Amino acid sequence: MPSTTLPLLPHSLPCLYHPPPPTTSKLFSSSPTTRSLTCSTQEVRGRVLCTAHSGGRKLGAGMEVDGRDMSLGAMANGTAAAGDGDGDEKQKQISPKLLTLVIVKKGEKVLLGMKKRGFGAGYFNGFGGKVEAGETIYEAAVRELQEESGIVPVSMEKRGILTFHFDDNPQPWEVHVYHVGDYTGEPCETEEMAPRWFPLADIPYDKMWQDDPIWYPEFIRGRLFKGEFYFHNTHTLVSHTLHVLQKLDA
Ligand SMILES: Nc1nc2c([nH]c(=O)n2[C@H]2C[C@H](O)[C@@H](COP(=O)(O)OP(=O)(O)OP(=O)(O)O)O2)c(=O)[nH]1
């Protein structure tokens, strides 16, 4: 049977959006509440170890693993255990990190990007990322879509909220999923993503996060949904719940 996969978009397409250069270190750029923290860095076994202080008090330390800041985000939002950094205090409940995910679905096809770097590199995904300080979740979704694919949504509606729990990271990730059906501009390859159209019947689930085959069908049916997903070692899905809703409350 002939493959129905559509070709990669040409690399030469001009990408209209040029994001400004980062002004803070990567470990701290993504967490809205890290401004009150200072960080001293040292290299440990080839990785950067950050030790965070606030008001002269050591809060703890974290490393970036697989493109993801492991414990600093958790400490930075102020709800994790803020002990002496030796890890001897019991952790309290940690509020989730907020992220966005925009899926462009137009007619019978969906635009996915091959993630080129960072968390989830090597997977096809929608476009999105962390909500930055001072922006709403919606604004973050528009910004990330533009930064990663070069297009601007004409309209966008929230369709789902997915919470990811990891046994190797105390902080859950709460991902707000949006649908874009119409946009301006042309999708183009960016530093983070290589976009490509797929027919709805041929979504490359074998090259996507393990939770995706569970909730994408609801997304494609136009439903609203909320899910919780539990991962072992970041990538192995262990269990989940998924609820289709009449309305989303957040
Ligand atoms: N489809 C799918 N998407 C996921 C899962 N987990 C997960 O974080 N995502 C999405 C949410 C975000 O859109 C994206 C991760 O965000 P990111 O780390 O690239 O954020 P960012 O662009 O701000 O990153 P950076 O600038 O710090 O590198 O992956 C998942 O299990 N399935």
Side-chain angles (χ1 to χ4, degrees):
M1 201 165 117
S3 168
T4 46
T5 305
L6 299 172
L8 268 172
L9 293 162
H11 291 195
S12 56
L13 280 174
C15 193
L16 299 175
Y17 184 81
H18 298 286
T23 52
T24 51
S25 79
K26 177 161 171 53
L27 276 169
F28 285 89
S29 62
S30 56
S31 191
T33 50
T34 48
R35 283 200 177 133
S36 59
L37 298 178
T38 56
C39 171
S40 54
T41 58
Q42 63 185 114
E43 202 173 310
V44 179
R45 291 191 295 277
R47 283 191 168 135
V48 176
L49 172 71
C50 270
T51 306
H53 300 263
S54 181
R57 187 156 173 247
K58 182 179 167 188
L59 293 181
M63 286 194 195
E64 191 184 67
V65 176
D66 196 14
R68 190 176 55 165
D69 49 327
M70 295 302 288
S71 57
L72 283 171
M75 291 186 293
N77 74 16
T79 54
D84 62 6
D86 294 329
D88 56 353
E89 287 193 22
K90 226 175 150 188
Q91 288 217 327
K92 297 184 185 133
Q93 191 167 8
I94 298 170
S95 38
K97 182 181 290 209
L98 291 179
L99 296 100
T100 63
L101 182 64
V102 178
I103 301 171
V104 179
K105 174 179 150 313
K106 215 174 169 182
E108 290 304 300
K109 57 190 185 160
V110 64
L111 183 70
L112 299 174
M114 168 52 69
K115 187 101 189 282
K116 293 161 63 179
R117 65 172 194 206
F119 191 63
Y123 290 151
F124 280 108
N125 207 347
F127 305 91
K130 300 167 192 88
V131 178
E132 303 279 0
E135 65 183 0
T136 63
I137 300 172
Y138 185 95
E139 287 165 348
V142 173
R143 174 183 55 75
E144 289 280 354
L145 176 65
Q146 195 175 7
E147 281 178 11
E148 294 185 355
S149 74
I151 62 175
V152 178
V154 170
S155 65
M156 190 170 80
E157 78 273 3
K158 191 182 289 193
R159 295 285 290 283
I161 301 175
L162 306 173
T163 306
F164 299 105
H165 305 267
F166 304 97
D167 63 0
D168 52 357
N169 182 355
Q171 188 177 33
W173 286 29
E174 184 178 295
V175 177
H176 292 244
V177 182
Y178 291 85
H179 170 235
V180 165
D182 201 9
Y183 57 84
T184 56
E186 279 300 323
C188 63
E189 181 166 347
T190 61
E191 279 182 10
E192 202 157 332
M193 287 287 209
R196 176 171 163 175
W197 288 103
F198 290 91
L200 291 182
D202 208 6
I203 292 177
Y205 288 123
D206 57 329
K207 297 189 194 76
M208 293 166 71
W209 283 97
Q210 288 182 5
D211 53 285
D212 291 5
I214 296 165
W215 60 266
Y216 259 71
E218 303 302 346
F219 174 88
I220 286 164
R221 285 183 197 115
R223 292 187 173 151
L224 305 175
F225 51 89
K226 218 165 188 179
E228 305 263 341
F229 296 88
Y230 293 82
F231 280 87
H232 171 58
N233 283 344
T234 308
H235 295 280
T236 304
L237 182 62
V238 176
S239 63
H240 76 275
T241 59
L242 183 72
H243 299 286
V244 171
L245 305 170
Q246 294 303 314
K247 89 181 183 41
L248 277 176
D249 51 37

